[in-house]
Amino acid sequence: MSAELLEDARRALDEASKFVDLSEDAVEQLKRPELSVKVSVPVRMDSGELTTFAGYRVRYNTAMGPGKGGIRYHSEVDIDHLQTLAFWMTFKCALMNLPYGGAKGGVQVDPKRLSRLELERLSRAYINKVADFIGPDRDIPAPDMYTNEIIMGWMADQFSTIKRSFVPGVITGKPVALGGSVLRDRATATGAYVVIDEMLRARERRPEDTTVAIQGFGNAGAELAEQLQNGGYQVVAVSDSKGAVYSAQGLDIKTLRDFKEKNSSDGVYHAYQLTDCEDKNFEQISNQELLTLDVDLLAPAALENQITEENAEEVRAEMIFEVANGPVTASASEILAGQGVEIVPGILVNAGGVTVSYFEWVQNRRGERWEESQVRERLDKKMRRAVSEVEEVAQKEDISLTTAAYVVALRRINATIEAHGTVDYYQS
Ligand code: NAD
């Protein structure tokens, strides 16, 4: 899977390159990551045994600023996979015009098998091993799948312990009490909502006439489901890894979220499955069925590679908003384009998370704490500007929204690389 993902990412870049006057230096620099490290992360388990996990950090490109990207805890994390995710972060930060490059990290672990104390020891041990590669001016991690604000809090604390000084700007997505930003926990969904809202308005569609299916009921998916329902959309299906729930009349998202909260295992992860919810005003369907429902909008908010050559022809949604990174493969995108399905790329749809992470870093560096209204207003403005830039390039060049998003990002990265000094600069 990792090799395919990287191949897809390169295809997106090749396509975008046709619309950018790229310098030779930019082509050369964007071919491979700047840094990929693998570390051994030893953890004393509750049993007294010492277990070693594989940890990674990848910095793809830092022309525009220090690396930025999440840390993932997953049993399938590997270096190729993280390189692709770091590549996407490079383009996402550039698209949002943030002063960052792209990075990503992770630990190969099934975190739900660890006790809370083992998880804390793992998180601190990971920071011990990567401390020389991260920092507020070097590379700034954040949460990703199966990591959250509790884990970011432990990591920030460990980094400050190593440096013997308070360094909140090393990590974003921290608890507010430790210098985190208000709204960071809802930022990805809030940004995705703005993108959906802007795009539908431009297409003269009304929320109340729009049905939505969302795959994934985690940090991003559950909050987006609730915001869409509050905005008047009919959210007819949502899912988690165990299955999906569907109601043609629209689901009661609040009840499903309350059920999830009540089944929080130890405050770090949730031990629940949506289909067990007592409120049975829904039908149970599979995750595959959710992806091919007859809805207006489909929002995959779980994993990569969910819509592939195998199921693309069965997709009936008119628009797909990629809340997850890379849920639609490049070959599936071609099939969907042929069917007239519009795909709005993850580097735009889910960019609210990294944008509020940037606001958190700015607050940490300035010693400020912004009100929610300030964060919300700035996020809204940045998201709307990015949507209009992407729509404008897509229309002007007559290309897909995905290629247009890469073009906007690539033009910025290229200009920065040229400003650093390129071969043309030295030869003239
Ligand atoms: P999360 O861990 O909070 O939630 C993931 C959800 O996906 C859970 O409901 C889980 O049950 C579900 N899931 C897992 N495997 C599944 C499967 N095979 N089929 C259906 N559902 C499955 O993660 P999150 O933070 O909500 O992130 C979701 C996606 O959004 C990821 O791809 C992540 O990289 C991306 N993203 C998240 C953020 C953020 O700030 N949270 C920012 C940018 C991108």
Side-chain angles (χ1 to χ4, degrees), residues 319-355:
M319 292 184 84
I320 298 179
F321 287 86
E322 294 185 328
V323 180
N325 292 305
V328 183
T329 65
S331 355
S333 300
E334 280 170 22
I335 298 171
L336 291 163
Q339 293 169 198
V341 181
E342 257 192 305
I343 302 171
V344 191
I347 61 167
L348 173 63
V349 180
N350 68 34
V354 70
T355 303

Side-chain angles (χ1 to χ4, degrees), residues 72 74 85 89 92 104 112 143-147 184-189 215-222 239-243 260 269-270 272 274 287 300-304 306 323-327 346 349-354 357:
R72 179 172 289 205
H74 199 278
L85 295 168
M89 282 306 298
K92 193 189 299 183
K104 208 80 179 189
K112 291 190 176 177
D144 191 69
M145 277 187 82
Y146 298 112
T147 57
R184 175 62 186 85
D185 52 344
R186 288 162 284 147
T188 302
Q215 184 197 40
F217 205 63
N219 175 304
S239 68
D240 58 30
S241 57
K242 308 277 171 20
K260 177 179 161 179
Y269 296 115
H270 297 282
Y272 76 100
L274 279 172
N287 257 301
L303 299 170
E304 298 84 15
Q306 295 302 297
V323 180
N325 292 305
V349 180
N350 68 34
V354 70
S357 270

